[in-house]
Structures are given as C-alpha cells and as structure tokens.
Amino acid sequence: MHKPNIYKEYQKLILPDFEIPVEIHHEHRRSARVSLAHQKAIVRIPILCSASQKEQHINWARNWIYKKLTQDPQARIKYVPRTYEDNTTLRVRNTDFTLSIEYCPNSAAASGKRVGTHIKLLIPESCPPFQRSDLAGKLLSKIMAATYLKGVRNRVEEINQRFFQKKINKVSLRNNSSNWGSCSTSGNISLSTRLLLCPDHILDYIIVHELAHLVHHNHSSRFWDLVASVMPDYEEAENWLKKHGEQHRW
C-alpha cells in the first residue's frame, strides 16, 4: 500500500547561473530521488535521514538538475524566470508596447494599466525582488487579456463558422501555464494568454484544436483527422510549440 508523504518543505536551489524552486518531500523511502516538474524540482528523501545526509541528498540533486538542464537548453528555459525592466519593449500580437515599472514605497497592492502602446506597472516596493518579475508577468497577462479578448473571440467565431458550426458558450483568456487551451463539454473554450506572444498561425492552431473538441471530446484518430481537414499542416504548429513554446510566457 502506498505510504503518504509525511511533510514537505520549500527551498530554492542555487545553481551556478540561475535558481530553481524545489519541493523537498520527506517520505518513507530508502533512497533519494529527484525529478523536474513544471517550473520546479521535486526532491524525495528518506524521512529518517540525518541533517548531514539531507545535505548530501540536496547537493546530489543540485548536481543532477544542473547537469540535466545544461544538456537540454530548451528544458532549462522554463526554470529561468523572465525578467521585466523599466523602459523596455514588449511585443504582443505584432504590436510593440513600451513598459514602465514604478516601485511604490507606500503601496500594498500592485496594479497596471495600458494607454495606447504604453503599459505602466505599479509594484509595491516591499515586494521581494525574486517575486517582482512573476508579479509583473501576471499584471501584463491580465492587461493583454483585456486588450485582445474581443479580437480572439472574433477569431474563434470566424474559424467556427467556417469549419465547425458548433455552439460556443464562452471564450476566455487565462494566464494558464499548464496548457495552451481547453474546451469543456458545455462549450466553454479557454485559451492561454501565452498565445498572445506566439505567431498568428499558432493561435489559429490552438483555436482549431479546441473547436475540434466540440465534435470529439478526446484525442482519437477521428479527432486528429478533423484537425487535419481544417489545418493540414497542424503538425508543424505542434512541433513549433514543442521547440519554442516554453520561450513564450509571461
């Protein structure tokens, strides 16, 4: 019978040129194990190990992770946080936006707004430096979702009317890093705001993919045949996402 985790702790592994969040699982096991999950590493160690043994396990995990990510630069991208700096340019949907960031000493909450192609972010000065880029990314995702939602909805409707003629209940843009899109049986289509950073044909492919799920709620051969009938070169989009997708994130 599977024995549950006893407890977890959270750290950051400091590697030679970047940091990676890590969950340390203290479990009923005899040996240590390390794995790479989405945007974090997971290290499993025996619950009864001593402090010195724990340190040895963490050092072993650090070396394993660094070697793994050095050998695979594409995999490494997802663990290196994107940074945002004042007065830089951000390209979204073929438009260049100028970004300004102000750190406010008397503010407890972050906010952002867009005026034309200028985006201003207000971030509390009390926000720890390692959290600022993540917070800026969430604000930018929200602002860009509001900016482009109508256009994306129109594109979904256009493709739907041309190829599928299915009933759509709702189209939304969400800051989702676990997938590019989803489709519920009730006709709710959710698309990741990361697609706003991708080329047009990639957005179209994910729209086609999710609309096809209104016909086939699976990934059967019939589903892929339907996708191919609408977009014969869809495999090129799939390969692009595998190769470049992790670079396109907030």
Side-chain angles (χ1 to χ4, degrees):
M1 184 176 67
H2 175 71
K3 296 181 179 180
N5 298 335
I6 299 300
Y7 68 92
K8 301 178 186 178
E9 62 178 299
Y10 303 88
Q11 295 184 9
K12 278 187 176 291
L13 284 181
I14 311 299
L15 301 174
D17 48 359
F18 68 101
E19 299 178 354
I20 179 172
V22 60
E23 287 182 4
I24 302 175
H25 295 211
H26 297 258
E27 301 177 342
H28 290 289
R29 57 171 44 248
R30 294 182 177 180
S31 60
R33 179 183 176 188
V34 59
S35 60
L36 290 171
H38 185 69
Q39 296 184 334
K40 66 182 177 183
I42 297 176
V43 180
R44 304 177 187 276
I45 63 176
I47 191 172
L48 297 178
C49 69
S50 65
S52 61
Q53 289 173 326
K54 174 184 173 181
E55 185 177 357
Q56 290 177 2
H57 291 319
I58 298 302
N59 287 334
W60 166 77
R62 180 185 294 108
N63 293 334
W64 184 92
I65 292 168
Y66 186 69
K67 182 179 179 180
K68 185 77 172 177
L69 297 183
T70 300
Q71 292 174 344
D72 188 355
Q74 288 299 319
R76 172 176 166 168
I77 291 172
K78 72 176 84 172
Y79 302 104
V80 180
R82 181 168 182 173
T83 58
Y84 295 97
E85 297 180 357
D86 187 47
N87 202 33
T88 58
T89 298
L90 179 68
R91 191 165 184 80
V92 183
R93 302 295 297 148
N94 302 313
T95 299
D96 290 331
F97 293 88
T98 302
L99 179 64
S100 67
I101 303 176
E102 181 179 340
Y103 296 100
C104 307
N106 300 317
S107 176
S111 62
K113 65 178 181 179
R114 178 186 64 84
V115 178
T117 57
H118 181 260
I119 301 173
K120 185 173 184 178
L121 303 182
L122 301 176
I123 296 178
E125 198 173 65
S126 59
C127 180
F130 68 88
Q131 292 181 355
R132 291 178 179 179
S133 289
D134 182 60
L135 182 55
K138 290 177 180 178
L139 290 171
L140 288 168
S141 172
K142 184 177 181 180
I143 292 169
M144 291 294 99
T147 299
Y148 287 104
L149 179 57
K150 182 178 179 180
V152 170
R153 281 175 175 166
N154 289 342
R155 186 57 176 160
V156 172
E157 291 291 350
E158 179 184 352
I159 294 175
N160 181 49
Q161 289 302 316
R162 184 176 177 184
F163 298 104
F164 298 95
Q165 296 88 46
K166 303 298 289 186
K167 182 180 178 181
I168 299 173
N169 183 45
K170 181 181 179 182
V171 176
S172 60
L173 282 170
R174 297 181 179 178
N175 187 13
N176 192 344
S177 59
S178 61
N179 59 45
W180 293 100
S182 63
C183 177
S184 71
T185 55
S186 57
N188 293 324
I189 293 177
S190 175
L191 301 172
S192 173
T193 54
R194 293 183 295 152
L195 289 166
L196 301 175
L197 300 169
C198 296
D200 292 348
H201 73 283
I202 299 300
L203 172 60
D204 281 353
Y205 164 62
I206 298 299
I207 291 173
V208 169
H209 187 112
E210 301 311 328
L211 286 172
H213 278 310
L214 294 175
V215 182
H216 303 291
H217 298 287
N218 51 48
H219 287 106
S220 64
S221 59
R222 289 190 300 169
F223 167 84
W224 290 113
D225 287 344
L226 178 57
V227 171
S229 71
V230 176
M231 183 177 282
D233 60 349
Y234 79 89
E235 289 183 342
E236 293 181 12
E238 281 272 324
N239 291 333
W240 187 96
L241 286 169
K242 291 176 182 177
K243 186 174 182 180
H244 304 290
E246 290 295 343
Q247 302 172 31
H248 294 74
R249 57 196 171 98
W250 299 102

